[in-house]
Amino acid sequence: MFRVLPPFGSDQRGVAEVVNGIMNGKTNNTGSVTLATGNVTTTTITDARIGIDSIILLAPSSAAAFADTAPYGSFQDSTDQTAASTTVAYPITFNTTDFSNGVYLSNSSRLNVRNAGIYNLQFSVQLENTDNAQHDVDIWFRKNGTNITASNSIFTVPARKSASIFGHVIAAINYFVELAVNDYVEIVWRTENIGVTLEQTAAQSSPTRPATPSVIATMQYVAPNAMDNVYVSAQTNGSATLTHFSNNTASKTYKYIIVG
């Protein structure tokens, strides 16, 4: 903070210092705040300069705040997933979390969100067919245990070419879904022949190739505007409440300017 004038005047030097500070943009109404962690959704600014009618403008000022502007999650599975029946729907499961911020895995198959909004859910499923004929596989989405209307896709898996060369195809799609706080989504599949599986492959050589997961899925927040996810939701003289995405990331620091 720079020098403040007393209530009833000051010497010329003091007045000049304050006026020059204002002309140079140093208006003594800025500060910084670091968002609370622990998956909380509010953080309090305590600042005597805040009034009931003040406008508080925020801007990210740390690497974590710049990078972490929206919830996201990335998951995969390194096991084979099979169907015991052609008349049963099976939720696709995951055993690895690659990235998680506000989108997290539970019950092996449930992609949960801590924040309401519209999300883009994408998957890539490696299908393998050991049967002599081609077969169809249905893959669709469930929200909180209920099938999402008009969300199914049908993929045809080629027949095997020989006793050791099986038919393969990648099933991939992206889908927008609107979710409330603590909602979850599942990816569900059904096959018309149990010879079709979700197949993983270990890393291979000649040439060296990475492992093939049986399934990869990502989910990312897309709306409302993710850059506006930190805002003043309440204020009084001397303090203001910031509402933001459920936060578990340290060092998410924002600079603020108080106007009025």
Side-chain angles (χ1 to χ4, degrees), residues 122-142:
Q122 303 180 73
F123 67 77
S124 172
V125 175
Q126 177 64 71
L127 297 171
E128 180 178 273
N129 183 11
T130 61
D131 192 56
N132 291 323
Q134 66 180 23
H135 295 291
D136 288 342
V137 172
D138 296 86
I139 302 180
W140 67 96
F141 300 102
R142 284 179 179 167

Side-chain angles (χ1 to χ4, degrees), residues 8 31 34 48-49 57 60 67 81 84 87-88 105 118 131 143 168 174-176 180 226 234 239 248:
F8 300 104
T34 300
R49 297 166 297 182
L57 307 176
Q81 299 188 40
T87 60
V88 175
L105 183 66
I118 297 175
D131 192 56
K143 174 180 173 180
H168 294 94
N174 70 286
Y175 188 82
F176 277 26
S239 68
N248 200 31

Side-chain angles (χ1 to χ4, degrees), residues 201-240:
T201 303
Q204 301 178 69
S205 59
S206 300
T208 300
R209 287 161 283 170
T212 303
S214 56
V215 58
I216 298 171
T218 63
M219 191 153 72
Q220 184 176 18
Y221 180 95
V222 294
N225 185 354
M227 294 303 294
D228 296 332
N229 69 75
V230 181
Y231 65 94
V232 178
S233 57
Q235 65 192 78
T236 186
N237 289 326
S239 68

Side-chain angles (χ1 to χ4, degrees), residues 11 18 25 50 52 60 111 125 146 173 183 198 228 253:
D11 59 86
V18 171
I50 297 174
I52 293 177
L111 305 179
V125 175
T146 301
I173 198 171
D183 278 354
L198 280 56
D228 296 332
T253 301

Side-chain angles (χ1 to χ4, degrees), residues 81-134:
Q81 299 188 40
T82 61
S85 171
T86 61
T87 60
V88 175
Y90 296 93
I92 291 176
T93 58
F94 304 87
N95 64 5
T96 301
T97 297
D98 295 315
F99 302 98
S100 177
N101 177 56
V103 179
Y104 63 98
L105 183 66
S106 72
N107 199 33
S108 299
S109 65
R110 297 178 179 180
L111 305 179
N112 305 262
V113 300
R114 291 193 173 96
N115 305 279
I118 297 175
Y119 288 79
N120 183 17
L121 173 57
Q122 303 180 73
F123 67 77
S124 172
V125 175
Q126 177 64 71
L127 297 171
E128 180 178 273
N129 183 11
T130 61
D131 192 56
N132 291 323
Q134 66 180 23

Side-chain angles (χ1 to χ4, degrees), residues 24-97:
N24 289 323
K26 300 184 181 302
T27 53
N28 198 32
N29 60 343
T30 63
S32 65
V33 58
T34 300
L35 300 190
T37 56
N39 292 321
V40 299
T41 57
T42 61
T43 300
T44 299
I45 299 175
T46 301
D47 192 315
R49 297 166 297 182
I50 297 174
I52 293 177
D53 296 322
S54 297
I55 297 173
I56 303 173
L57 307 176
L58 295 142
S61 63
S62 69
F66 274 108
D68 192 16
T69 57
Y72 54 82
S74 177
F75 314 92
Q76 60 177 280
D77 190 68
S78 60
T79 66
D80 299 336
Q81 299 188 40
T82 61
S85 171
T86 61
T87 60
V88 175
Y90 296 93
I92 291 176
T93 58
F94 304 87
N95 64 5
T96 301
T97 297

